[in-house]
Amino acid sequence: MATASGAFKSREDHRKQLELEEARKAGLAPAELDEDGKEINPHIPQYMSSAPWYLNAERPSLKHQRNWKSDPNYTKSWYDRGAKIYQADKYRKGACENCGAMSHDTRSCMERPRKLGAKWTGKHIAPDEKIEQFELDYDGKRDRWNGYDAASYAHVIERYEARDEARRKYLKEQQLKKLEEKNNKDDKEEGDSDNEDCEDALKVDEAKVDESKQMDFAKVEKRVRTTGGGSTGTVRNLRIREDTAKYLLNLDVNSAHYDPKTRSMREDPLPDMDPNEKFYAGDNQNRVSGQALEFKQLNIHAWEAFDKGHDVHMQAAPSQAELLYKNFKINKEKLKVQTKDDVMEKYGNAASDDTLPRELLLGQSEKEVEYDRAGRIVKGQEMSLPRSKYEEDVYINNHTTVWGSWWKDHQWGYKCCKQTIRNSYCTGAAGIEAAEASAGLMKANIARKEAAEDTHVPVEEKRLATWGTEVPEDLILDQKKLTEAIKKEEEKRREEKDERKRKYNVKYNDEVTPEEMEAYRMKRVHQDDPMKDFLH
């Protein structure tokens, strides 16, 4: 159950692992042990027992599910902003030359550059800042709100409240001003009626002003995961009260089932209605469209890959499963395009923009022609045979026949001049006679050469020595050449003993003269010679 290996398993190994897991669940096999020697509960789901692929776990373990203790050296405190530790009265050596603080140097000073720094004036020495060093853990380094003071947001709330109060006050002043203007212009009776109207309008405007306070009647407080990091937010109930509920769309008891607990109606309540006029087609419509369909296909691919032996799980390692599915789709698309190109390359594309030749378009018709037993036309007109797409009866280079009209010795040629070279110039009857004469001359030369090979010409033999051990009696050696051959044999022996004296570009002659053979016999060491150890 708690295997951590991400290697590929064959189908047989995968089957054996499933059988072992079933035996462990039934109590027929001992439970698996983790790194600490503790038994692992076989009923734990795989997505909980399998370690994430980025942990590179080599042995089964449940450490990734335990609450890892944080390092006691880590802290969650933050810097004390603006805190001062010491206020000096005079300049100290090593302090900032501009402000006189010891907590930073002149280059890092954040105070406005003075005309004469504290080093020279000795006045207005700035206090030393409090310097702190914290060792934060993983979450502390990435906490955007670490050190944030919530009380600092109070002035923003106060500013908005002051703006709303000023707006309400301004509206009331405008209404009173209009009311006074009308009272001064109109008569007393007309003024009385206008006063009533203005008072009604004032009440209406006051109601509009107070409407912002009454707009929270449909507000619903929910836990909202916002982009800022999961803070509590306010969500208004966005359901329009004029909408018809799902269960009121079709009052037939045999229509789509409505679940009041989950407020879901999966089937279509109005299947016979025009789809263009339908605004609700059931909750299943959302399951087969958009990202829900992609997520469903991803789950199916993960299940099929797991059945085929791949150690992948959608809940345990979602990133690995999504990457594997992405690579699968890319390879599938490449294979599909390659197969399409191969088929089009082999059989052509009938949907292409290339028009067929006119000869092929007009080569077939529905005309009826009747023939008798002798092959003569009885009714209708015989259709001419369609010509091919290649040019016919085109003679080039003064030829009177086409290429391929003559065959000889496994070669095609022209019948008019009996030439086997394509695109050659036609020579006519004169070329045929010249070719026959050349063939006869070649045959005569071959016969003469065969006759000359039958008669052996005596060849002067070179005076070479044999490789035998016996020396012929009539052997006559040149003493001068023999001396040179002995010197060469001695140099050769020295080169064989010391490889450093051997030259890089050494050339050997296979022809051995009698003098060289005699020098080799003289310098050769016999194994049965009792004085062989005293020669060198």
Side-chain angles (χ1 to χ4, degrees), residues 456-502:
H456 297 283
V457 179
V459 182
E460 183 180 356
E461 297 181 357
K462 292 185 179 181
R463 187 166 170 266
L464 301 176
T466 59
W467 290 98
T469 57
E470 298 180 359
V471 181
E473 298 178 355
D474 57 345
L475 181 62
I476 300 174
L477 300 174
D478 189 355
Q479 294 297 328
K480 187 175 181 181
K481 293 183 179 180
L482 180 60
T483 306
E484 294 178 357
I486 292 173
K487 291 181 179 179
K488 289 182 179 180
E489 186 68 22
E490 291 176 353
E491 292 178 358
K492 185 177 180 182
R493 294 291 177 89
R494 285 195 296 269
E495 289 179 358
E496 290 178 355
K497 290 182 179 181
D498 191 0
E499 289 290 338
R500 295 176 298 178
K501 295 183 179 181
R502 182 181 178 185

Side-chain angles (χ1 to χ4, degrees), residues 201-270:
L202 183 59
K203 293 179 181 178
V204 172
D205 291 332
E206 288 180 354
K208 290 183 180 179
V209 172
D210 295 338
E211 186 181 359
S212 60
K213 297 182 181 180
Q214 300 174 5
M215 284 179 64
D216 294 337
F217 68 96
K219 186 169 66 172
V220 179
E221 295 288 345
K222 292 184 180 180
R223 183 71 178 177
V224 182
R225 180 173 294 178
T226 61
T227 57
S231 61
T232 303
T234 301
V235 177
R236 296 187 182 278
N237 193 353
L238 300 180
R239 179 177 178 271
I240 303 175
R241 297 299 176 181
E242 288 77 9
D243 286 347
T244 306
K246 299 177 183 178
Y247 52 83
L248 297 178
L249 294 175
N250 191 349
L251 300 180
D252 188 1
V253 293
N254 296 324
S255 64
H257 173 69
Y258 176 77
D259 185 9
K261 183 176 182 180
T262 59
R263 297 182 182 179
S264 62
M265 181 180 288
R266 299 190 177 183
E267 299 179 2
D268 189 0
L270 300 172

Side-chain angles (χ1 to χ4, degrees), residues 448-461:
R448 185 168 58 254
K449 185 175 181 181
E450 291 177 352
E453 289 178 354
D454 294 339
T455 59
H456 297 283
V457 179
V459 182
E460 183 180 356
E461 297 181 357

